[in-house]
Amino acid sequence: MSDIRLNSSKLGTQEYWNTFYEREIGNFEHNEDDTGECWFDDSDAESKMIEFLIQKINDGELPRHYDTLNIIDLGTGNGHLLFQMYDDFEQELDVQVDYNFKGIDYSAESVDFSNKIKSKKYEDQRFEFEQVDLLKKQSDFLDANREKYDILLDKGTLDAIALNQEPVEDLDGKIGMDVYGSQVEKLMHRDSILLITSCNFTEEELVKIITKETELKVWDKITYPVFEFGGVKGSTICSIAFIKE
Ligand SMILES: C[S@@+](CC[C@H](N)C(=O)[O-])C[C@H]1O[C@@H](n2cnc3c(N)ncnc32)[C@H](O)[C@@H]1O
């Protein structure tokens, strides 16, 4: 368990996200170009995460060779990261590899929204969205998909989870951010990569949270512009790739 704590916020509740995506579905139905909020857009996090992976794949730097990559986005929201990744993979990958995209989220409205975007814009069967709460101990999804995913993505989901300080009943009263790593690890085989982007934690904190009670180790990271204030250097966001050893 880590001693790092954030203050609770409404962004840590399922009701908040349900209402949020309900509103975004309304906007999308009104205007199909409006596919919703893209978190950390001002730091260009989405394209940096995608570019990072494209480079690793093209340079043959993934720890294993894959004919098909199983990719999952944890807390997928509007699915945008996956849709954009698909577009960019189609354009920029220069190695022969197939890929499947799965997006999970505990908000039924998020899943509904992602499916609506998929059917309007991406009929490709390689996208699947499913309602899954990552913090359930008895989880059919986690049980059925043990060690399935080669690449796991998280953009802002651990951040949202960490904004809820309520003990998770199902998980011996621990709080979400303290069980996140061991829950997500179930979906990983040896050599899987988990790429997390956070704006709430420093690199040091993120590493501590993820590695403390898991077999995950830092594999690589994305660099962002660094600001300096009062002699202290930092960046507003961090993305770290962990590997299961
Ligand atoms: C800040 S949003 C980020 C959404 C998306 N990744 C993006 O970058 O646009 C956090 C997401 O995490 C989801 N989420 C929060 N707690 C979750 C949990 N326990 N299980 C699954 N999804 C969760 C929320 O519904 C929300 O879609």
Side-chain angles (χ1 to χ4, degrees):
M1 199 190 298
S2 99
D3 47 7
I4 303 157
R5 294 283 177 263
L6 300 179
N7 291 326
S8 286
S9 142
K10 60 184 181 181
L11 272 72
T13 67
Q14 199 167 352
E15 300 74 53
Y16 174 85
W17 293 109
N18 289 344
T19 312
F20 182 87
Y21 294 118
E22 207 176 277
R23 195 170 55 241
E24 294 216 320
I25 290 171
N27 295 341
F28 179 65
E29 282 172 346
H30 195 66
N31 169 15
E32 279 176 20
D33 290 334
D34 184 354
T35 53
E37 171 119 21
C38 201
W39 293 85
F40 313 148
D41 214 14
D42 43 356
S43 303
D44 217 11
E46 182 177 275
S47 44
K48 281 188 173 276
M49 290 171 80
I50 296 172
E51 278 313 307
F52 173 86
L53 289 174
I54 289 177
Q55 212 173 342
K56 292 288 183 195
I57 298 168
N58 281 345
D59 294 350
E61 284 182 11
L62 289 182
R64 269 192 200 182
H65 169 80
Y66 297 98
D67 292 325
T68 303
L69 279 168
N70 286 311
I71 299 176
I72 187 167
D73 186 20
L74 310 165
T76 197
N78 53 13
H80 197 280
L81 175 59
L82 294 180
F83 293 129
Q84 189 63 48
M85 188 169 285
Y86 169 79
D87 285 343
D88 292 352
F89 274 17
E90 291 287 294
Q91 296 283 324
E92 294 176 38
L93 281 186
D94 24 76
V95 292
Q96 198 69 39
V97 63
D98 214 339
Y99 28 87
N100 295 309
F101 294 110
K102 178 94 182 182
I104 59 167
D105 203 290
Y106 73 170
S107 163
E109 281 73 5
S110 143
V111 172
D112 190 21
F113 187 24
S114 303
N115 276 325
K116 280 188 160 59
I117 297 172
K118 173 187 160 181
S119 60
K120 288 271 185 213
K121 297 181 181 258
Y122 295 86
E123 298 237 49
D124 198 290
Q125 289 310 307
R126 283 182 268 188
F127 293 104
E128 248 184 43
F129 296 98
E130 189 173 337
Q131 185 183 10
V132 176
D133 185 343
L134 276 168
L135 303 181
K136 287 273 173 242
K137 190 172 190 177
Q138 305 300 334
S139 162
D140 290 346
F141 182 81
L142 293 184
D143 287 346
N145 293 287
R146 274 183 188 267
E147 304 191 6
K148 168 161 182 178
Y149 292 97
D150 310 310
I151 294 176
L152 299 88
L153 308 163
D154 174 333
K155 182 159 67 70
T157 299
L158 172 64
D159 280 355
I161 287 174
L163 291 170
N164 191 332
Q165 298 293 315
E166 290 297 312
V168 188
E169 240 178 78
D170 211 25
L171 286 159
D172 311 323
K174 292 183 180 169
I175 65 164
M177 61 180 266
D178 288 335
V179 291
Y180 171 93
S182 50
Q183 289 289 99
V184 168
E185 190 180 29
K186 294 177 188 168
L187 299 169
M188 301 173 74
H189 56 74
R190 198 171 60 77
D191 292 339
S192 295
I193 302 295
L194 166 64
L195 177 60
I196 306 186
T197 295
S198 166
C199 73
N200 280 342
F201 299 112
T202 62
E203 280 184 14
E204 221 173 69
E205 289 171 333
L206 187 56
V207 170
K208 197 166 168 196
I209 293 164
I210 297 301
T211 58
K212 195 133 191 216
E213 290 179 14
T214 64
E215 292 175 60
L216 305 186
K217 300 276 174 296
V218 175
W219 182 60
D220 204 345
K221 61 189 182 184
I222 296 174
T223 43
Y224 290 92
V226 172
F227 67 86
E228 190 164 346
F229 184 75
V232 180
K233 281 189 176 173
S235 59
T236 50
I237 192 168
C238 65
S239 298
I240 301 188
F242 297 90
I243 185 167
K244 183 164 174 179
E245 290 190 336

